[in-house]
PDB file of all heavy atoms in Angstrom:
ATOM      1  N   ALA A  46      -7.434   7.295  18.769  1.00 98.00           N
ATOM      2  CA  ALA A  46      -6.748   6.313  19.563  1.00 98.00           C
ATOM      3  C   ALA A  46      -6.546   6.829  21.001  1.00 98.00           C
ATOM      4  O   ALA A  46      -6.687   6.089  21.967  1.00 98.00           O
ATOM      5  CB  ALA A  46      -5.387   5.997  18.940  1.00 98.00           C
ATOM      6  N   MET A  47      -6.240   8.122  21.126  1.00 98.00           N
ATOM      7  CA  MET A  47      -6.034   8.741  22.466  1.00 98.00           C
ATOM      8  C   MET A  47      -7.331   8.599  23.255  1.00 98.00           C
ATOM      9  O   MET A  47      -7.299   8.231  24.457  1.00 98.00           O
ATOM     10  CB  MET A  47      -5.645  10.219  22.257  1.00 98.00           C
ATOM     11  CG  MET A  47      -5.513  10.960  23.543  1.00 98.00           C
ATOM     12  SD  MET A  47      -4.074  10.499  24.455  1.00 98.00           S
ATOM     13  CE  MET A  47      -2.791  11.133  23.506  1.00 98.00           C
ATOM     14  N   ILE A  48      -8.468   8.971  22.660  1.00 98.00           N
ATOM     15  CA  ILE A  48      -9.738   8.842  23.374  1.00 98.00           C
ATOM     16  C   ILE A  48      -9.963   7.449  23.848  1.00 98.00           C
ATOM     17  O   ILE A  48     -10.408   7.156  24.971  1.00 98.00           O
ATOM     18  CB  ILE A  48     -10.908   9.377  22.509  1.00 98.00           C
ATOM     19  CG1 ILE A  48     -10.697  10.935  22.280  1.00 98.00           C
ATOM     20  CG2 ILE A  48     -12.250   9.097  23.095  1.00 98.00           C
ATOM     21  CD1 ILE A  48     -11.571  11.543  21.243  1.00 98.00           C
ATOM     22  N   HIS A  49      -9.736   6.479  22.962  1.00 98.00           N
ATOM     23  CA  HIS A  49      -9.918   5.086  23.293  1.00 98.00           C
ATOM     24  C   HIS A  49      -9.109   4.665  24.493  1.00 98.00           C
ATOM     25  O   HIS A  49      -9.657   4.040  25.420  1.00 98.00           O
ATOM     26  CB  HIS A  49      -9.584   4.190  22.086  1.00 98.00           C
ATOM     27  CG  HIS A  49      -9.671   2.728  22.426  1.00 98.00           C
ATOM     28  ND1 HIS A  49     -10.867   2.026  22.331  1.00 98.00           N
ATOM     29  CD2 HIS A  49      -8.668   1.827  22.769  1.00 98.00           C
ATOM     30  CE1 HIS A  49     -10.609   0.783  22.734  1.00 98.00           C
ATOM     31  NE2 HIS A  49      -9.330   0.626  22.942  1.00 98.00           N
ATOM     32  N   ILE A  50      -7.841   4.970  24.520  1.00 98.00           N
ATOM     33  CA  ILE A  50      -7.023   4.521  25.662  1.00 98.00           C
ATOM     34  C   ILE A  50      -7.348   5.277  26.907  1.00 98.00           C
ATOM     35  O   ILE A  50      -7.307   4.620  27.990  1.00 98.00           O
ATOM     36  CB  ILE A  50      -5.521   4.525  25.338  1.00 98.00           C
ATOM     37  CG1 ILE A  50      -4.890   5.887  25.224  1.00 98.00           C
ATOM     38  CG2 ILE A  50      -5.254   3.674  24.103  1.00 98.00           C
ATOM     39  CD1 ILE A  50      -3.376   5.886  25.207  1.00 98.00           C
ATOM     40  N   ILE A  51      -7.656   6.549  26.843  1.00 98.00           N
ATOM     41  CA  ILE A  51      -8.077   7.212  28.051  1.00 98.00           C
ATOM     42  C   ILE A  51      -9.310   6.592  28.644  1.00 98.00           C
ATOM     43  O   ILE A  51      -9.385   6.404  29.911  1.00 98.00           O
ATOM     44  CB  ILE A  51      -8.392   8.762  27.698  1.00 98.00           C
ATOM     45  CG1 ILE A  51      -7.100   9.451  27.448  1.00 98.00           C
ATOM     46  CG2 ILE A  51      -9.149   9.423  28.867  1.00 98.00           C
ATOM     47  CD1 ILE A  51      -7.261  10.856  26.903  1.00 98.00           C
ATOM     48  N   LYS A  52     -10.200   6.126  27.838  1.00 97.00           N
ATOM     49  CA  LYS A  52     -11.463   5.511  28.360  1.00 97.00           C
ATOM     50  C   LYS A  52     -11.243   4.043  28.869  1.00 97.00           C
ATOM     51  O   LYS A  52     -11.855   3.622  29.825  1.00 97.00           O
ATOM     52  CB  LYS A  52     -12.507   5.469  27.291  1.00 97.00           C
ATOM     53  CG  LYS A  52     -13.154   6.791  26.967  1.00 97.00           C
ATOM     54  CD  LYS A  52     -14.239   6.648  25.877  1.00 97.00           C
ATOM     55  CE  LYS A  52     -14.868   7.974  25.639  1.00 97.00           C
ATOM     56  NZ  LYS A  52     -15.912   7.870  24.584  1.00 97.00           N
ATOM     57  N   HIS A  53     -10.339   3.303  28.166  1.00 97.00           N
ATOM     58  CA  HIS A  53     -10.287   1.854  28.404  1.00 97.00           C
ATOM     59  C   HIS A  53      -8.984   1.272  28.918  1.00 97.00           C
ATOM     60  O   HIS A  53      -9.029   0.108  29.371  1.00 97.00           O
ATOM     61  CB  HIS A  53     -10.653   1.136  27.093  1.00 97.00           C
ATOM     62  CG  HIS A  53     -11.943   1.550  26.557  1.00 97.00           C
ATOM     63  ND1 HIS A  53     -13.174   1.242  27.123  1.00 97.00           N
ATOM     64  CD2 HIS A  53     -12.281   2.286  25.428  1.00 97.00           C
ATOM     65  CE1 HIS A  53     -14.175   1.752  26.367  1.00 97.00           C
ATOM     66  NE2 HIS A  53     -13.614   2.405  25.361  1.00 97.00           N
ATOM     67  N   ALA A  54      -7.887   1.938  28.791  1.00 98.00           N
ATOM     68  CA  ALA A  54      -6.592   1.308  29.055  1.00 98.00           C
ATOM     69  C   ALA A  54      -6.258   1.227  30.557  1.00 98.00           C
ATOM     70  O   ALA A  54      -6.525   2.145  31.336  1.00 98.00           O
ATOM     71  CB  ALA A  54      -5.442   2.041  28.378  1.00 98.00           C
ATOM     72  N   ALA A  55      -5.608   0.145  30.923  1.00 98.00           N
ATOM     73  CA  ALA A  55      -5.147  -0.066  32.330  1.00 98.00           C
ATOM     74  C   ALA A  55      -3.880   0.726  32.517  1.00 98.00           C
ATOM     75  O   ALA A  55      -3.101   0.919  31.613  1.00 98.00           O
ATOM     76  CB  ALA A  55      -4.939  -1.530  32.575  1.00 98.00           C
ATOM     77  N   THR A  56      -3.581   1.074  33.750  1.00 98.00           N
ATOM     78  CA  THR A  56      -2.390   1.763  34.121  1.00 98.00           C
ATOM     79  C   THR A  56      -1.165   0.941  33.691  1.00 98.00           C
ATOM     80  O   THR A  56      -1.187  -0.309  33.795  1.00 98.00           O
ATOM     81  CB  THR A  56      -2.279   2.173  35.574  1.00 98.00           C
ATOM     82  OG1 THR A  56      -1.219   3.100  35.748  1.00 98.00           O
ATOM     83  CG2 THR A  56      -2.127   0.969  36.501  1.00 98.00           C
ATOM     84  N   GLY A  57      -0.110   1.624  33.229  1.00 98.00           N
ATOM     85  CA  GLY A  57       1.112   0.960  32.870  1.00 98.00           C
ATOM     86  C   GLY A  57       1.158   0.327  31.472  1.00 98.00           C
ATOM     87  O   GLY A  57       2.114  -0.243  31.057  1.00 98.00           O
ATOM     88  N   THR A  58       0.080   0.483  30.685  1.00 98.00           N
ATOM     89  CA  THR A  58       0.026  -0.156  29.413  1.00 98.00           C
ATOM     90  C   THR A  58       0.578   0.773  28.343  1.00 98.00           C
ATOM     91  O   THR A  58       0.583   2.001  28.431  1.00 98.00           O
ATOM     92  CB  THR A  58      -1.392  -0.639  29.033  1.00 98.00           C
ATOM     93  OG1 THR A  58      -2.314   0.493  29.186  1.00 98.00           O
ATOM     94  CG2 THR A  58      -1.853  -1.725  30.014  1.00 98.00           C
ATOM     95  N   ILE A  59       0.990   0.186  27.228  1.00 98.00           N
ATOM     96  CA  ILE A  59       1.589   0.852  26.077  1.00 98.00           C
ATOM     97  C   ILE A  59       0.612   0.521  24.907  1.00 98.00           C
ATOM     98  O   ILE A  59       0.331  -0.636  24.629  1.00 98.00           O
ATOM     99  CB  ILE A  59       2.960   0.280  25.788  1.00 98.00           C
ATOM    100  CG1 ILE A  59       3.914   0.593  26.990  1.00 98.00           C
ATOM    101  CG2 ILE A  59       3.523   0.947  24.520  1.00 98.00           C
ATOM    102  CD1 ILE A  59       5.238  -0.192  26.898  1.00 98.00           C
ATOM    103  N   TRP A  60       0.310   1.559  24.158  1.00 98.00           N
ATOM    104  CA  TRP A  60      -0.623   1.424  23.023  1.00 98.00           C
ATOM    105  C   TRP A  60      -0.029   1.985  21.757  1.00 98.00           C
ATOM    106  O   TRP A  60       0.680   3.031  21.802  1.00 98.00           O
ATOM    107  CB  TRP A  60      -1.918   2.137  23.350  1.00 98.00           C
ATOM    108  CG  TRP A  60      -2.695   1.427  24.446  1.00 98.00           C
ATOM    109  CD1 TRP A  60      -2.446   1.528  25.720  1.00 98.00           C
ATOM    110  CD2 TRP A  60      -3.727   0.438  24.269  1.00 98.00           C
ATOM    111  NE1 TRP A  60      -3.268   0.635  26.446  1.00 98.00           N
ATOM    112  CE2 TRP A  60      -4.066   0.033  25.570  1.00 98.00           C
ATOM    113  CE3 TRP A  60      -4.378  -0.064  23.153  1.00 98.00           C
ATOM    114  CZ2 TRP A  60      -5.068  -0.977  25.771  1.00 98.00           C
ATOM    115  CZ3 TRP A  60      -5.376  -0.996  23.406  1.00 98.00           C
ATOM    116  CH2 TRP A  60      -5.675  -1.439  24.691  1.00 98.00           C
ATOM    117  N   VAL A  61      -0.234   1.348  20.625  1.00 98.00           N
ATOM    118  CA  VAL A  61       0.259   1.812  19.358  1.00 98.00           C
ATOM    119  C   VAL A  61      -0.905   2.262  18.440  1.00 98.00           C
ATOM    120  O   VAL A  61      -1.968   1.597  18.424  1.00 98.00           O
ATOM    121  CB  VAL A  61       1.058   0.635  18.634  1.00 98.00           C
ATOM    122  CG1 VAL A  61       1.459   1.056  17.252  1.00 98.00           C
ATOM    123  CG2 VAL A  61       2.219   0.193  19.471  1.00 98.00           C
ATOM    124  N   ALA A  62      -0.727   3.394  17.828  1.00 98.00           N
ATOM    125  CA  ALA A  62      -1.664   3.958  16.862  1.00 98.00           C
ATOM    126  C   ALA A  62      -0.878   4.141  15.558  1.00 98.00           C
ATOM    127  O   ALA A  62      -0.050   4.964  15.463  1.00 98.00           O
ATOM    128  CB  ALA A  62      -2.270   5.245  17.327  1.00 98.00           C
ATOM    129  N   GLU A  63      -1.240   3.332  14.559  1.00 96.00           N
ATOM    130  CA  GLU A  63      -0.527   3.449  13.305  1.00 96.00           C
ATOM    131  C   GLU A  63      -1.464   3.070  12.165  1.00 96.00           C
ATOM    132  O   GLU A  63      -2.432   2.333  12.323  1.00 96.00           O
ATOM    133  CB  GLU A  63       0.752   2.625  13.253  1.00 96.00           C
ATOM    134  CG  GLU A  63       0.557   1.198  13.461  1.00 96.00           C
ATOM    135  CD  GLU A  63       1.892   0.408  13.548  1.00 96.00           C
ATOM    136  OE1 GLU A  63       2.965   0.945  13.226  1.00 96.00           O
ATOM    137  OE2 GLU A  63       1.829  -0.748  14.002  1.00 96.00           O
ATOM    138  N   ASN A  64      -1.135   3.577  10.975  1.00 96.00           N
ATOM    139  CA  ASN A  64      -1.825   3.224   9.692  1.00 96.00           C
ATOM    140  C   ASN A  64      -3.338   3.520   9.696  1.00 96.00           C
ATOM    141  O   ASN A  64      -4.107   2.832   9.082  1.00 96.00           O
ATOM    142  CB  ASN A  64      -1.598   1.758   9.344  1.00 96.00           C
ATOM    143  CG  ASN A  64      -0.149   1.441   9.254  1.00 96.00           C
ATOM    144  OD1 ASN A  64       0.661   2.250   8.746  1.00 96.00           O
ATOM    145  ND2 ASN A  64       0.245   0.253   9.773  1.00 96.00           N
ATOM    146  N   ASP A  65      -3.718   4.531  10.498  1.00 97.00           N
ATOM    147  CA  ASP A  65      -5.153   4.949  10.546  1.00 97.00           C
ATOM    148  C   ASP A  65      -6.049   3.822  11.039  1.00 97.00           C
ATOM    149  O   ASP A  65      -7.247   3.737  10.751  1.00 97.00           O
ATOM    150  CB  ASP A  65      -5.659   5.432   9.220  1.00 97.00           C
ATOM    151  CG  ASP A  65      -5.052   6.758   8.821  1.00 97.00           C
ATOM    152  OD1 ASP A  65      -4.924   7.630   9.676  1.00 97.00           O
ATOM    153  OD2 ASP A  65      -4.600   6.937   7.655  1.00 97.00           O
ATOM    154  N   GLU A  66      -5.439   2.893  11.849  1.00 97.00           N
ATOM    155  CA  GLU A  66      -6.218   1.752  12.386  1.00 97.00           C
ATOM    156  C   GLU A  66      -6.490   1.889  13.871  1.00 97.00           C
ATOM    157  O   GLU A  66      -5.929   2.798  14.490  1.00 97.00           O
ATOM    158  CB  GLU A  66      -5.503   0.425  12.123  1.00 97.00           C
ATOM    159  CG  GLU A  66      -5.296   0.155  10.674  1.00 97.00           C
ATOM    160  CD  GLU A  66      -4.397  -1.000  10.347  1.00 97.00           C
ATOM    161  OE1 GLU A  66      -3.799  -1.628  11.341  1.00 97.00           O
ATOM    162  OE2 GLU A  66      -4.185  -1.339   9.165  1.00 97.00           O
ATOM    163  N   GLU A  67      -7.375   1.079  14.422  1.00 97.00           N
ATOM    164  CA  GLU A  67      -7.628   1.106  15.866  1.00 97.00           C
ATOM    165  C   GLU A  67      -6.303   0.884  16.666  1.00 97.00           C
ATOM    166  O   GLU A  67      -5.448   0.101  16.216  1.00 97.00           O
ATOM    167  CB  GLU A  67      -8.641   0.039  16.252  1.00 97.00           C
ATOM    168  CG  GLU A  67     -10.051   0.430  15.878  1.00 97.00           C
ATOM    169  CD  GLU A  67     -11.058  -0.473  16.521  1.00 97.00           C
ATOM    170  OE1 GLU A  67     -10.804  -1.039  17.601  1.00 97.00           O
ATOM    171  OE2 GLU A  67     -12.098  -0.700  15.902  1.00 97.00           O
ATOM    172  N   PRO A  68      -6.207   1.453  17.840  1.00 98.00           N
ATOM    173  CA  PRO A  68      -4.996   1.224  18.614  1.00 98.00           C
ATOM    174  C   PRO A  68      -4.981  -0.140  19.109  1.00 98.00           C
ATOM    175  O   PRO A  68      -5.998  -0.868  19.321  1.00 98.00           O
ATOM    176  CB  PRO A  68      -5.129   2.223  19.779  1.00 98.00           C
ATOM    177  CG  PRO A  68      -6.614   2.433  19.904  1.00 98.00           C
ATOM    178  CD  PRO A  68      -7.148   2.376  18.531  1.00 98.00           C
ATOM    179  N   TYR A  69      -3.718  -0.691  19.322  1.00 98.00           N
ATOM    180  CA  TYR A  69      -3.607  -1.986  19.933  1.00 98.00           C
ATOM    181  C   TYR A  69      -2.582  -1.901  21.030  1.00 98.00           C
ATOM    182  O   TYR A  69      -1.662  -1.104  21.012  1.00 98.00           O
ATOM    183  CB  TYR A  69      -3.180  -3.030  18.886  1.00 98.00           C
ATOM    184  CG  TYR A  69      -1.921  -2.804  18.198  1.00 98.00           C
ATOM    185  CD1 TYR A  69      -0.678  -3.270  18.662  1.00 98.00           C
ATOM    186  CD2 TYR A  69      -1.844  -2.090  16.982  1.00 98.00           C
ATOM    187  CE1 TYR A  69       0.513  -3.068  18.032  1.00 98.00           C
ATOM    188  CE2 TYR A  69      -0.652  -1.817  16.326  1.00 98.00           C
ATOM    189  CZ  TYR A  69       0.507  -2.320  16.827  1.00 98.00           C
ATOM    190  OH  TYR A  69       1.693  -2.080  16.211  1.00 98.00           O
ATOM    191  N   GLU A  70      -2.754  -2.795  22.029  1.00 98.00           N
ATOM    192  CA  GLU A  70      -1.800  -2.819  23.169  1.00 98.00           C
ATOM    193  C   GLU A  70      -0.520  -3.520  22.717  1.00 98.00           C
ATOM    194  O   GLU A  70      -0.587  -4.596  22.183  1.00 98.00           O
ATOM    195  CB  GLU A  70      -2.429  -3.503  24.321  1.00 98.00           C
ATOM    196  CG  GLU A  70      -1.548  -3.383  25.567  1.00 98.00           C
ATOM    197  CD  GLU A  70      -2.231  -3.998  26.836  1.00 98.00           C
ATOM    198  OE1 GLU A  70      -3.354  -4.402  26.782  1.00 98.00           O
ATOM    199  OE2 GLU A  70      -1.460  -4.070  27.841  1.00 98.00           O
ATOM    200  N   TYR A  71       0.633  -2.925  23.104  1.00 98.00           N
ATOM    201  CA  TYR A  71       1.898  -3.527  22.884  1.00 98.00           C
ATOM    202  C   TYR A  71       2.378  -4.043  24.226  1.00 98.00           C
ATOM    203  O   TYR A  71       2.448  -3.341  25.214  1.00 98.00           O
ATOM    204  CB  TYR A  71       2.886  -2.451  22.371  1.00 98.00           C
ATOM    205  CG  TYR A  71       4.339  -2.979  22.258  1.00 98.00           C
ATOM    206  CD1 TYR A  71       4.673  -3.769  21.215  1.00 98.00           C
ATOM    207  CD2 TYR A  71       5.280  -2.648  23.223  1.00 98.00           C
ATOM    208  CE1 TYR A  71       5.998  -4.260  21.112  1.00 98.00           C
ATOM    209  CE2 TYR A  71       6.591  -3.075  23.081  1.00 98.00           C
ATOM    210  CZ  TYR A  71       6.908  -3.885  22.040  1.00 98.00           C
ATOM    211  OH  TYR A  71       8.207  -4.366  21.968  1.00 98.00           O
ATOM    212  N   LYS A  72       2.632  -5.340  24.297  1.00 97.00           N
ATOM    213  CA  LYS A  72       3.047  -5.973  25.572  1.00 97.00           C
ATOM    214  C   LYS A  72       4.472  -6.383  25.598  1.00 97.00           C
ATOM    215  O   LYS A  72       4.966  -7.052  24.647  1.00 97.00           O
ATOM    216  CB  LYS A  72       2.174  -7.168  25.863  1.00 97.00           C
ATOM    217  CG  LYS A  72       0.699  -6.764  26.062  1.00 97.00           C
ATOM    218  CD  LYS A  72      -0.189  -7.990  26.324  1.00 97.00           C
ATOM    219  CE  LYS A  72      -1.599  -7.535  26.532  1.00 97.00           C
ATOM    220  NZ  LYS A  72      -2.498  -8.688  26.846  1.00 97.00           N
ATOM    221  N   ILE A  73       5.195  -5.979  26.582  1.00 95.00           N
ATOM    222  CA  ILE A  73       6.576  -6.361  26.751  1.00 95.00           C
ATOM    223  C   ILE A  73       6.558  -7.596  27.630  1.00 95.00           C
ATOM    224  O   ILE A  73       6.070  -7.529  28.783  1.00 95.00           O
ATOM    225  CB  ILE A  73       7.396  -5.273  27.397  1.00 95.00           C
ATOM    226  CG1 ILE A  73       7.355  -3.959  26.539  1.00 95.00           C
ATOM    227  CG2 ILE A  73       8.887  -5.686  27.692  1.00 95.00           C
ATOM    228  CD1 ILE A  73       7.965  -2.772  27.222  1.00 95.00           C
ATOM    229  N   PRO A  74       7.123  -8.735  27.124  1.00 94.00           N
ATOM    230  CA  PRO A  74       7.050  -9.958  27.949  1.00 94.00           C
ATOM    231  C   PRO A  74       7.950  -9.805  29.178  1.00 94.00           C
ATOM    232  O   PRO A  74       8.981  -9.156  29.073  1.00 94.00           O
ATOM    233  CB  PRO A  74       7.518 -11.069  27.052  1.00 94.00           C
ATOM    234  CG  PRO A  74       8.162 -10.362  25.869  1.00 94.00           C
ATOM    235  CD  PRO A  74       7.642  -9.002  25.846  1.00 94.00           C
ATOM    236  N   PRO A  75       7.648 -10.431  30.265  1.00 92.00           N
ATOM    237  CA  PRO A  75       8.459 -10.433  31.463  1.00 92.00           C
ATOM    238  C   PRO A  75       9.825 -11.030  31.155  1.00 92.00           C
ATOM    239  O   PRO A  75       9.949 -12.045  30.408  1.00 92.00           O
ATOM    240  CB  PRO A  75       7.743 -11.256  32.502  1.00 92.00           C
ATOM    241  CG  PRO A  75       6.340 -11.401  31.992  1.00 92.00           C
ATOM    242  CD  PRO A  75       6.409 -11.186  30.492  1.00 92.00           C
ATOM    243  N   ARG A  76      10.887 -10.438  31.655  1.00 92.00           N
ATOM    244  CA  ARG A  76      12.261 -10.918  31.425  1.00 92.00           C
ATOM    245  C   ARG A  76      12.392 -12.421  31.839  1.00 92.00           C
ATOM    246  O   ARG A  76      13.155 -13.171  31.200  1.00 92.00           O
ATOM    247  CB  ARG A  76      13.242 -10.040  32.073  1.00 92.00           C
ATOM    248  CG  ARG A  76      13.408 -10.223  33.584  1.00 92.00           C
ATOM    249  CD  ARG A  76      14.531  -9.349  34.120  1.00 92.00           C
ATOM    250  NE  ARG A  76      14.759  -9.723  35.506  1.00 92.00           N
ATOM    251  CZ  ARG A  76      13.978  -9.320  36.524  1.00 92.00           C
ATOM    252  NH1 ARG A  76      12.920  -8.547  36.329  1.00 92.00           N
ATOM    253  NH2 ARG A  76      14.235  -9.728  37.754  1.00 92.00           N
ATOM    254  N   GLU A  77      11.665 -12.803  32.806  1.00 94.00           N
ATOM    255  CA  GLU A  77      11.750 -14.209  33.327  1.00 94.00           C
ATOM    256  C   GLU A  77      11.339 -15.229  32.172  1.00 94.00           C
ATOM    257  O   GLU A  77      11.770 -16.352  32.215  1.00 94.00           O
ATOM    258  CB  GLU A  77      10.850 -14.436  34.503  1.00 94.00           C
ATOM    259  CG  GLU A  77      11.216 -13.642  35.762  1.00 94.00           C
ATOM    260  CD  GLU A  77      10.729 -12.188  35.765  1.00 94.00           C
ATOM    261  OE1 GLU A  77       9.949 -11.815  34.903  1.00 94.00           O
ATOM    262  OE2 GLU A  77      11.137 -11.454  36.700  1.00 94.00           O
ATOM    263  N   ASN A  78      10.571 -14.782  31.193  1.00 94.00           N
ATOM    264  CA  ASN A  78      10.183 -15.655  30.083  1.00 94.00           C
ATOM    265  C   ASN A  78      11.392 -16.121  29.318  1.00 94.00           C
ATOM    266  O   ASN A  78      11.400 -17.101  28.586  1.00 94.00           O
ATOM    267  CB  ASN A  78       9.225 -14.928  29.151  1.00 94.00           C
ATOM    268  CG  ASN A  78       7.853 -14.728  29.742  1.00 94.00           C
ATOM    269  OD1 ASN A  78       7.606 -15.033  30.875  1.00 94.00           O
ATOM    270  ND2 ASN A  78       6.936 -14.249  28.930  1.00 94.00           N
ATOM    271  N   PHE A  79      12.526 -15.323  29.416  1.00 94.00           N
ATOM    272  CA  PHE A  79      13.678 -15.558  28.602  1.00 94.00           C
ATOM    273  C   PHE A  79      14.825 -16.245  29.423  1.00 94.00           C
ATOM    274  O   PHE A  79      15.834 -16.682  28.836  1.00 94.00           O
ATOM    275  CB  PHE A  79      14.250 -14.268  27.959  1.00 94.00           C
ATOM    276  CG  PHE A  79      13.198 -13.621  27.130  1.00 94.00           C
ATOM    277  CD1 PHE A  79      12.397 -12.592  27.614  1.00 94.00           C
ATOM    278  CD2 PHE A  79      12.914 -14.076  25.842  1.00 94.00           C
ATOM    279  CE1 PHE A  79      11.472 -11.965  26.840  1.00 94.00           C
ATOM    280  CE2 PHE A  79      11.954 -13.438  25.069  1.00 94.00           C
ATOM    281  CZ  PHE A  79      11.227 -12.402  25.554  1.00 94.00           C
ATOM    282  N   ALA A  80      14.613 -16.400  30.724  1.00 93.00           N
ATOM    283  CA  ALA A  80      15.678 -16.964  31.552  1.00 93.00           C
ATOM    284  C   ALA A  80      15.851 -18.459  31.265  1.00 93.00           C
ATOM    285  O   ALA A  80      14.846 -19.125  31.037  1.00 93.00           O
ATOM    286  CB  ALA A  80      15.327 -16.736  33.039  1.00 93.00           C
TER     287      ALA A  80
END
């Protein structure tokens, strides 16, 4: 997962590696979505 995100991830992104599966990006929605 580390190698994958080093090669492909955009700055400021959060990635999860769990259950021996491919990493996936975790996105925090903008606070304005809840206003």
